[in-house]
Amino acid sequence: MDTFTDHMEIILWTRHTDGRWSARTLWMVLVDEQAYVRSAFGLRSAWYRRVRGHAETRIEAAAGRLPVTLRPVSDPELVRRVSDAYQAKYGLGWPGPVASINEPEAAATTLCLTDVGQVPQLPA
């Protein structure tokens, strides 16, 4: 994930059921060298619902669009640490949006980016 350490935002692409792709710019934070994102609008965000419905996802990087897996985070201590990371990274410049993204509804949508750049294996 070192490639994304200095990024203020990432672009997440999600595939719709009809095959088209949608892009969403997201704030990303690192906790213990692991990347996390959240839906600022909680469960209402269409991209979040697609991800939770196992839609194909990509992140945009200099090398192009890389496949990524987003896994939900349910550990309350880790969710709190992600909230702290949002506050530390974005809080000074964007206090209102950070307060919103750290509210319980948005915090409940915390996702961990894993398997970046790895193509999923087809079942045997």
Side-chain angles (χ1 to χ4, degrees):
M1 294 302 319
D2 290 339
T3 309
F4 304 105
T5 302
D6 295 325
H7 286 225
M8 290 298 287
E9 303 172 327
I10 61 168
I11 299 175
L12 179 76
W13 291 85
T14 55
R15 188 185 292 268
H16 294 255
T17 55
D18 66 5
R20 65 190 163 88
W21 288 88
S22 289
R24 173 65 58 193
T25 302
L26 301 175
W27 284 353
M28 183 210 61
V29 295
L30 294 176
V31 174
D32 296 332
E33 299 182 28
Q34 188 64 54
Y36 296 89
V37 295
R38 283 185 178 158
S39 166
F41 299 104
L43 303 173
R44 296 170 295 175
S45 291
W47 74 264
Y48 179 79
R49 291 192 313 271
R50 281 192 298 277
V51 166
R52 295 294 290 148
H54 306 289
E56 188 176 354
T57 55
R58 304 266 186 265
I59 56 172
E60 194 164 308
R65 291 185 196 164
L66 303 172
V68 65
T69 302
L70 287 94
R71 301 199 191 288
V73 175
S74 58
D75 174 36
E77 175 60 20
L78 182 53
V79 170
R80 184 196 59 74
R81 291 179 67 213
V82 171
S83 293
D84 291 347
Y86 273 108
Q87 182 62 42
K89 186 172 182 179
Y90 301 102
L92 251 118
W94 301 96
V98 169
S100 177
I101 207 166
N102 281 340
E103 295 228 350
E105 182 184 359
T109 66
T110 303
L111 298 167
C112 178
L113 282 72
T114 63
D115 305 324
V116 176
Q118 297 178 16
V119 178
Q121 296 293 323
L122 296 174

